[in-house]
Amino acid sequence: MTAADRGGARDRGGGRGRGGGRGRGSQPTAGADTGAGTQAGSGSGSGSGSAKGSRSGERRTGLRSVAGQVFALEALIALLVIAAAVFATFHQAQSAADRDARVRSLAVAEAFAHAPGIDEALSSPNPTAVLQSRSEATRQATGVDFISVLSPAGVRYTDSMQALIGHKASGDFTRATVDGKSFTEHFRGAPNDAVRAVVPVVDQHGRTLGLVTSGIKVESITHAVESRLPLLAGAAAAALVLAVGGAGLVSRRLRRQTHGLGPTEMTRMKEHHEAVLHAVREGVLIVGADQRLLLANDEARRLLGLDADAERRHISELGLDPRTVELLLSGRSATDEVHRAGDRLLAVSVRPTVPDGSESGSVMTMRDTTELAALTGRAAVARSRLQLLYEAGVRIGTTLEVVRTAEELAEVAVPRFADFATVELLEPVLRGEEPPGSAAAATEMRRTALSGLRPDQPLQPVGDTVRFDVSDTPMATALGAGHAVVQAELAAAEGWRAQDPEGAAQALAYGMHSLLTVPLLARGVVLGMANFWRADTPEPFGEEDLSFAEELAARAAVAIDNARRFTREHAMAVTLQRSLLPRVLPDQSAVEVAYRYLPAKAGVGGDWFDVIPLPGARVALVVGDVVGHGLHAAATMGRLRTAVHNFSTLDVPPDELLGHLDELTGRIDDRESEGPDGEARRRDEGITGATCLYAIYDPVSGLCTVASAGHPGPALVGPDGRVEFPDLPPGMPLGLGLGDAPFETAELRLPEGSKLVLFTDGLLEDRGRDLGTGLDLLGSTLAQPGRTPEQTCADVLATLLSPSPRDDIALLVAQTRLLDRERIAEWEVARDPAAVSPVRNAAAAKLSEWGLDGLAFTAELILSELITNAVRYGADPVRVRLLHDRTLICEVSDGSSTSPHLRHAATTDEGGRGLYLVAQYAERWGTRYARRGKTIWAELRVSSDGPEPVAMAVPDLDALEDLAW
């Protein structure tokens, strides 16, 4: 007997003593009968003591408690399971031993029967003498109980018991002697019961010479199985001890949790609990430690509108007010906090179920205080209005778009303040311009936003012009007074009905019965009007709604004015940027070009692109991005674009051009930071440098030279649609003061029909997309052969353009061409003045072949001057090249880097007029330098539409070869 049981016994004994004997009230019946009897016996004055003793006895009496019954049931189940396991294990061990005996017996018999010399021994005159010793040795080696060799008739030749030799063995051997098959069997008979195997010995002619039997006695098998019984019994006993111990621990814990109560008393307590819980007029929720609902009484279901299957659902899935969910999730205690549940206000109290527990659920009680809230209705309305104003501050002005801000104002007001809401704005405000200062100009507005409970409303649609010509309409009155005006009964508003009789009649027929109109004022200037209508709500607008409407309109007006200012500045920046970008691309034959430029929605940046024709039928492709946004970035972009144009006239390689541009950008930033507020201005405007990609494509060789200053490299699309992103030396962005790090170039060989795609990072990066993802999308979009540059631009933007790009987008697609080899002529010139005339004559013949006889004299003159200068003052090698493109291009190259310059010769000078003649007769001329040497070029207009060169006395061409520069 446990201490608790002994205590229970003492309690029962004490109870009988105090009760004055064994009365009816102290009979030791079970469960509720004991408790009931004790209560009945309390009339003697000691009933309470008897009741206490009875309840204590029930709680602490072994198997009468729930814990004791659970312990007995678990112990019984464990005993049955262990017994079944022991029986199954013993049976399995016996079967395994029998099976092992069969296998061993058959294996030994077959091995002996097929051993060498067995058939000769059986054919010998005395098989016993030969085989007896061998069979005994084999029996001892294999561990079987016997091995016997029999004649076909079953007479023993050998046996472990020598007394049996010569006697016939018991059993039926016909399967071995007749069928020639080996078999095993359970043999029962003399001399012992055994598991026996019989194997025939057959000669090469199929004749049975004898039989070999081997086996294990049944008593040996039984002894082997019984030897395992102690271990099996020990394991079963240990398992039983563990199971009973575990059941005891479970029972002990269950006893603590149930406080030793019996099933009847627990049932009675549950009935009392449910009766009380569901009868009270206070809602009760019990939430577990996993934040799931365990119990809700009827009042809680009514107050919170819970479903019948609400139990076991997470509290966030019950549709409770967010503040109530937050309170339950926080785990904190609360007393009489007011929370909303639909149209009710509840006084909520929360306590943890385990005050000192680390993981505890909670109990929430609630009372309906709606009646009290009705007495303080004004306070509730004021609170809801304050909450609506807070939401308006959060929801209105989320974007810097005038129209969207007006729509947000209308959406906030419906349905919590009005059934329908309209917003009208002045035309200048919609365009981002300053609104007119006079009130007379505010009588005509554009309906910008409309929101309502139903779509079939009778109000004028968005986009219509709304006029306030009649002076006594509520709208005109509000505009004149500068504050909100309420019209409680629309049917009585004569001015409103006179403004638009037909529209007013439709609105009244629809059910519109009340109007509140308020002007949108910012900095004392009218931006528009906001009108709030009620049709489905029976209560009309009152004087108490005026202050709320004015506060709501004031907040919206500030947001609309901010959006208007942004619209104006954005339009100015876009206008400036577009004016600085190329409007018409120049004529050139090297590439077919298409482009797209899209300014950012949030603020204009400094992206730009350009196509610049270069001498020698080449073309420069440029794309760049100024870091920053706003007017300053656009202006900086214009300066950089102009600088690129100027530097390109020097005809230097891309890396040198970017070096010049880097120095210029650094000087621009240095000048921006001059002055007391220069650094702050530079930081605010975000001008911290720029990136640029500069590429020169030569249609004669198909070579493209590219250099980058921190800009993403181009995409190269082959004629077959294969897309590559060539690796370029990255280079540092412009203007970072890192001029000591030189820029590097990369050379790309482009087949005819290839596309070179240049872009800014705004095309690839966006809110939900990084640079790598953008490159993958761009590559898959470009991998479409047979698309023109214009179609390629459209495909790229359709795939990668987001609805509201955060950054500018510049896209330039150039499809390469190659100059026809028939339009190219080249000659090597020896360093001998006599070599000039043959080259000049060959050039004239080539011009005649091209149908340019009209340019022969001018071309010969220019070539004579340029070749003569190269022969006299240049260095080897000297080359001449003619290109027939849109113009006739004459180029003379030599290995010297000395540049000629134009000068005017005196009348007494014998030379010095050569370059002057070239400048007079050529459309353009210039010099470009290579890694080694230089090229002097001159272009002649092919068509005869242009002006004739200035007439001047020209000596004979042969005589010109003797003139100096």
Side-chain angles (χ1 to χ4, degrees):
M1 180 181 293
T2 64
D5 295 334
R6 290 195 297 273
R10 286 196 297 270
D11 289 343
R12 289 195 299 274
R16 289 194 298 271
R18 290 189 299 272
R22 293 178 58 89
R24 187 182 60 179
S26 59
Q27 292 298 321
T29 57
D33 296 338
T34 301
T38 303
Q39 295 296 331
S42 62
S44 61
S46 60
S48 61
S50 299
K52 179 178 179 180
S54 177
R55 287 194 297 270
S56 301
E58 183 180 1
R59 292 175 185 173
R60 298 179 183 178
T61 301
L63 297 179
R64 295 180 62 185
S65 68
V66 173
Q69 293 177 11
V70 170
F71 171 77
L73 181 61
E74 289 184 343
L76 178 61
I77 293 174
L79 181 62
L80 293 177
V81 170
I82 292 173
V86 169
F87 174 77
T89 304
F90 180 80
H91 181 72
Q92 183 180 9
Q94 190 171 19
S95 299
D98 183 81
R99 185 167 57 254
D100 179 66
R102 286 176 179 268
V103 172
R104 288 175 57 196
S105 300
L106 181 62
V108 171
E110 287 184 342
F112 193 86
H114 298 123
I118 295 298
D119 50 352
E120 290 85 352
L122 290 174
S123 301
S124 65
N126 189 5
T128 300
V130 178
L131 298 177
Q132 176 64 23
S133 60
R134 292 180 61 181
S135 65
E136 279 300 300
T138 302
R139 181 186 67 78
Q140 295 175 2
T142 57
V144 297
D145 290 338
F146 63 88
I147 296 177
S148 298
V149 180
L150 311 179
S151 68
V155 178
R156 292 185 177 89
Y157 289 146
T158 67
D159 197 274
S160 57
M161 299 176 62
Q162 295 186 3
L164 298 177
I165 297 175
H167 294 278
K168 186 175 182 180
S170 302
D172 184 9
F173 302 109
T174 57
R175 282 185 292 175
T177 57
V178 177
D179 300 336
K181 295 181 180 180
S182 303
F183 65 91
T184 60
E185 63 180 354
H186 268 283
F187 172 74
R188 299 186 182 277
N192 300 103
D193 294 344
V195 174
R196 182 175 66 177
V198 180
V199 178
V201 180
V202 182
D203 63 6
Q204 60 183 352
H205 302 292
R207 184 167 55 88
T208 302
L209 301 178
L211 304 174
V212 177
T213 66
S214 68
I216 299 174
K217 299 176 183 178
V218 171
E219 64 181 7
S220 299
I221 297 174
T222 304
H223 178 71
V225 174
E226 290 175 349
S227 64
R228 301 182 185 179
L229 285 178
L231 178 62
L232 187 60
L240 183 60
V241 169
L242 291 176
V244 172
L249 293 177
V250 173
S251 176
R252 181 179 179 184
R253 181 172 180 83
L254 185 60
R255 182 184 298 276
R256 286 199 305 268
Q257 293 179 343
T258 60
H259 303 283
L261 296 176
T264 305
E265 186 171 359
M266 291 187 67
T267 302
R268 184 172 66 249
M269 289 183 63
K270 181 178 183 299
E271 293 172 351
H272 292 173
H273 159 267
E274 291 184 348
V276 173
L277 187 65
H278 296 287
V280 297
R281 299 302 299 171
E282 188 172 81
V284 179
L285 289 182
I286 300 180
V287 180
D290 58 354
Q291 307 299 340
R292 295 184 178 275
L293 179 64
L294 299 180
L295 183 143
N297 68 346
D298 295 340
E299 182 67 7
R301 292 179 183 275
R302 185 185 70 84
L303 294 176
L304 300 177
L306 298 179
D307 299 332
D309 59 345
E311 277 80 2
R312 302 309 307 166
R313 290 165 58 185
H314 197 273
I315 58 176
S316 61
E317 303 173 357
L318 300 178
L320 304 180
D321 185 78
R323 289 185 62 243
T324 307
V325 174
E326 186 275 332
L327 174 61
L328 290 173
L329 291 177
S330 66
R332 63 182 177 87
S333 300
T335 302
D336 289 338
E337 287 191 7
V338 178
H339 288 249
R340 182 177 294 277
D343 57 350
R344 294 186 176 91
L345 291 178
L346 306 179
V348 173
S349 298
V350 178
R351 293 290 183 274
T353 54
V354 182
D356 299 328
S358 58
E359 293 186 2
S360 171
S362 57
V363 177
M364 184 177 78
T365 61
M366 64 203 79
R367 302 189 310 276
D368 189 357
T369 61
T370 306
E371 293 78 6
L372 179 61
L375 298 177
T376 58
R378 291 183 179 275
V381 171
R383 181 177 177 277
S384 66
R385 295 291 168 82
L386 287 175
Q387 185 176 2
L388 184 56
L389 284 177
Y390 169 76
E391 293 180 5
V394 174
R395 293 176 56 185
I396 298 176
T398 58
T399 65
L400 290 173
E401 296 180 3
V402 174
V403 174
R404 180 55 193 155
T405 305
E407 291 173 349
E408 290 169 345
L409 169 59
E411 291 168 359
V412 165
V414 177
R416 293 169 60 181
F417 180 65
D419 298 333
F420 296 89
T422 62
V423 180
E424 292 81 41
L425 297 179
L426 294 170
E427 289 287 353
V429 175
L430 290 171
R431 297 192 298 268
E433 302 173 2
E434 287 289 340
S438 63
T443 59
E444 183 176 306
M445 300 182 184
R446 181 77 60 184
R447 177 146 293 170
T448 310
L450 190 154
S451 179
L453 296 177
R454 290 175 285 168
D456 58 336
Q457 40 77 27
L459 303 173
Q460 289 179 257
V462 173
D464 274 14
T465 300
V466 180
R467 294 180 175 84
F468 313 115
D469 298 331
V470 180
S471 60
D472 59 346
T473 61
M475 295 79 167
T477 303
L479 286 173
H483 57 74
V485 172
V486 63
Q487 182 67 49
E489 293 294 333
L490 272 178
E494 297 295 338
W496 174 71
R497 299 175 65 179
Q499 176 72 45
D500 182 9
E502 183 179 354
Q506 293 178 357
L508 292 174
Y510 184 80
M512 299 285 186
H513 62 83
S514 186
L515 166 67
L516 194 157
T517 179
V518 56
L520 299 175
L521 300 173
R523 298 174 290 109
V525 180
V526 176
L527 303 178
M529 292 285 299
N531 299 309
F532 305 104
W533 314 76
R534 281 185 178 173
D536 296 352
T537 303
E539 296 82 8
F541 287 110
E543 296 297 326
E544 66 277 3
D545 297 316
L546 291 175
S547 59
F548 170 77
E550 289 182 343
E551 179 65 25
L552 182 62
R555 298 191 180 196
V558 172
I560 291 174
D561 192 51
N562 290 337
R564 178 195 63 80
R565 292 187 178 193
F566 173 78
T567 301
R568 180 187 61 186
E569 294 180 2
H570 186 268
M572 292 173 59
V574 169
T575 302
L576 173 61
Q577 189 174 38
R578 290 193 181 277
S579 68
L580 296 174
L581 289 172
R583 298 183 180 181
V584 179
L585 295 182
D587 293 332
Q588 44 80 36
S589 303
V591 291
E592 179 186 353
V593 178
Y595 66 90
R596 294 290 188 277
Y597 171 76
L598 295 174
K601 295 293 184 183
V604 174
D607 293 11
W608 90 91
F609 65 92
D610 222 329
V611 178
I612 306 172
L614 296 178
R618 296 169 304 143
V619 65
L621 304 173
V622 191
V623 66
D625 184 3
V626 174
V627 180
H629 292 86
L631 291 173
H632 193 75
T636 303
M637 176 272 292
R639 285 186 281 185
L640 291 179
R641 178 172 176 258
T642 302
V644 171
H645 266 274
N646 292 335
F647 290 142
S648 67
T649 59
L650 300 176
D651 206 358
V652 294
D655 55 340
E656 294 185 24
L657 184 141
L658 290 181
H660 294 313
L661 198 61
D662 180 46
E663 295 178 5
L664 175 64
T665 307
R667 290 196 297 271
I668 291 175
D669 280 348
D670 290 341
R671 286 196 297 269
E672 291 296 334
S673 59
E674 293 176 357
D677 60 343
E679 285 298 332
R681 184 173 66 253
R682 175 179 173 179
R683 182 175 58 254
D684 293 340
E685 293 172 347
I687 305 299
T688 58
T691 63
C692 182
L693 183 71
Y694 189 87
I696 296 178
Y697 173 68
D698 186 356
V700 177
S701 62
L703 191 66
C704 183
T705 307
V706 188
S708 171
H711 198 86
L716 179 60
V717 185
D720 57 351
R722 188 167 58 92
V723 180
E724 298 179 10
F725 292 94
D727 292 330
L728 302 181
M732 300 300 296
L734 303 172
L736 296 184
L738 303 175
D740 294 338
F743 297 100
E744 300 180 33
T745 60
E747 292 186 347
L748 308 175
R749 184 71 63 177
L750 305 183
E752 185 173 13
S754 301
K755 295 189 189 73
L756 195 65
V757 182
L758 285 70
F759 50 85
T760 56
D761 56 3
L763 178 69
L764 304 180
E765 296 180 312
D766 201 35
R767 290 180 177 85
R769 184 176 65 213
D770 57 12
L771 183 62
T773 305
L775 284 174
D776 294 339
L777 285 175
L778 179 61
S780 60
T781 305
L782 295 175
Q784 301 182 41
R787 306 292 287 176
T788 65
E790 196 67 32
Q791 293 170 335
T792 300
C793 285
D795 294 342
V796 169
L797 290 187
T799 303
L800 279 83
L801 183 63
S802 63
S804 234
R806 294 187 302 173
D807 198 3
D808 291 13
I809 294 175
L811 174 64
L812 186 66
V813 179
Q815 184 167 345
T816 61
R817 299 169 178 156
L818 289 178
L819 191 61
D820 189 356
R821 301 304 302 177
E822 298 296 327
R823 289 174 169 257
I824 304 172
E826 296 179 288
W827 297 275
E828 291 276 349
V829 182
R831 293 287 305 284
D832 184 358
V836 177
S837 294
V839 174
R840 186 184 66 205
N841 295 333
K846 179 59 70 173
L847 292 177
S848 178
E849 179 183 337
W850 288 343
L852 302 178
D853 296 300
L855 296 177
F857 176 78
T858 306
E860 288 183 64
L861 172 62
I862 292 174
L863 287 175
S864 294
E865 294 301 326
L866 298 180
I867 297 173
T868 301
N869 180 70
V871 168
R872 288 184 177 182
Y873 308 109
D876 285 331
V878 178
R879 295 186 178 90
V880 177
R881 185 170 73 169
L882 293 181
L883 302 177
H884 182 194
D885 192 32
R886 293 175 179 269
T887 60
L888 177 64
I889 304 170
C890 305
E891 296 181 346
V892 177
S893 305
D894 67 84
S896 171
S897 298
T898 304
S899 175
H901 62 279
L902 180 65
R903 66 187 181 91
H904 295 275
T907 56
T908 58
D909 290 343
E910 294 183 357
R913 300 179 180 84
L915 200 57
Y916 176 74
L917 292 175
V918 172
Q920 290 296 314
Y921 279 94
E923 184 76 17
R924 294 191 309 158
W925 74 278
T927 305
R928 69 172 178 269
Y929 295 91
R931 299 296 178 189
R932 179 177 177 273
K934 67 179 181 298
T935 299
I936 304 176
W937 55 270
E939 292 185 3
L940 300 177
R941 183 180 300 175
V942 173
S943 63
S944 58
D945 299 335
E948 293 294 333
V950 178
M952 59 182 297
V954 179
D956 183 74
L957 293 179
D958 293 326
L960 286 175
E961 297 175 7
D962 298 327
L963 296 178
W965 291 105

